[in-house]
Amino acid sequence: KDVLSKREISIAKISSYTASGDIESLEKELNTGLDNGLTVNEIKEILVQLYAYCGFPRSLNGLSAFMKVTEQRKDKNDTIGDAGKVLPADTDKFAYGDKVQVELTGNHVRGAIYEFAPAIDQYLKEHLFADIFARGVLTNQEREIATISALASMQGVDAQLNAHIQI
C-alpha cells in the first residue's frame, strides 16, 4: 500500500501535533479525524499510546484537547467505537509482550541497553507490548503510523524512528 487513507493521515497528524505540543493544530486535526471516520475511542487510544513515546505531559495535553473537541461536537453524534480491552489478571505479561514484540520486529529484541537496565525491557514488554497493544481498538499498522509520526516530530530519537520505520 503506497498511499495512506484519510483516517491514517489523521492518525499521523494527531500523533505529530501531540508529540510536538501544537495544541491549536491538534484541535483542528482531532475534528478532521472524527470527520474522516476515526471513532472517539480510536483517537483516545492514539493519545493514550503516545504517552509511551512522548511522555505523560504531551499525552495528557492531547487528551485534554480531545475532551474539549468532543464537548464542542456533542451535537454531531460522533461514533464512540469499541473500548480497549484489559488483559486477564493471570496473563504472563512479559511472555505476552515478548510474543507481540517478535510479531512486530521478526525476532527477540536484545541488546546491551537491556542488560544494562533490565527494567526497561520489562516495561517495554509488560506494559507497552502487552498492556497497550492488547487493548485492541487500533491495528498494529495504525499503532505504527502513530508511533512513527510522533517520533518524526521529536528531536534526538533517530535510532528509535529508524527502528520503527523498519517495523
Side-chain angles (χ1 to χ4, degrees):
K1 182 173 165 177
D2 294 327
V3 179
L4 296 178
S5 69
K6 286 181 179 182
R7 284 173 39 88
E8 292 168 331
I9 291 168
S10 285
I11 290 170
K13 288 182 175 183
I14 288 167
S15 300
S16 175
Y17 295 140
T18 300
S20 66
D22 184 349
I23 300 301
E24 184 178 328
S25 296
L26 174 61
E27 288 176 356
K28 290 176 187 170
E29 191 57 40
L30 291 166
N31 278 289
T32 301
L34 289 167
D35 292 340
N36 284 342
L38 287 172
T39 68
V40 170
N41 283 335
E42 287 171 331
I43 292 175
K44 285 182 189 177
E45 196 67 25
I46 294 163
L47 297 169
V48 167
Q49 174 184 315
L50 288 179
Y51 100 83
Y53 296 97
C54 56
F56 273 110
R58 297 281 193 209
S59 177
L60 292 170
N61 289 347
L63 287 164
S64 292
F66 192 40
M67 282 176 39
K68 177 181 171 185
V69 166
T70 57
E71 181 61 30
Q72 292 169 344
R73 291 176 62 102
K74 63 183 172 193
D75 295 340
K76 291 201 176 213
N77 295 319
D78 292 313
T79 303
I80 301 301
D82 294 334
K85 299 168 191 70
V86 177
L87 286 170
D90 63 346
T91 301
D92 178 344
K93 290 183 183 180
F94 191 86
Y96 184 97
D98 185 58
K99 179 179 156 244
V100 171
Q101 193 177 40
V102 167
E103 286 173 11
L104 291 171
T105 64
N107 56 34
H108 294 278
V109 177
R110 305 203 193 300
I113 198 162
Y114 303 112
E115 293 170 21
F116 180 71
I120 200 69
D121 189 39
Q122 178 183 353
Y123 295 157
L124 282 168
K125 286 184 172 80
E126 292 182 3
H127 186 60
L128 179 60
F129 292 113
D131 288 329
I132 293 177
F133 274 66
R135 291 179 50 78
V137 183
L138 299 171
T139 66
N140 287 347
Q141 179 175 332
E142 290 167 334
R143 287 188 184 282
E144 281 303 316
I145 290 169
T147 300
I148 289 168
S149 181
L151 293 172
S153 301
M154 299 165 57
Q155 294 181 354
V157 295
D158 292 344
Q160 293 82 5
L161 175 60
N162 290 331
H164 280 277
I165 289 171
Q166 295 305 312
I167 291 172

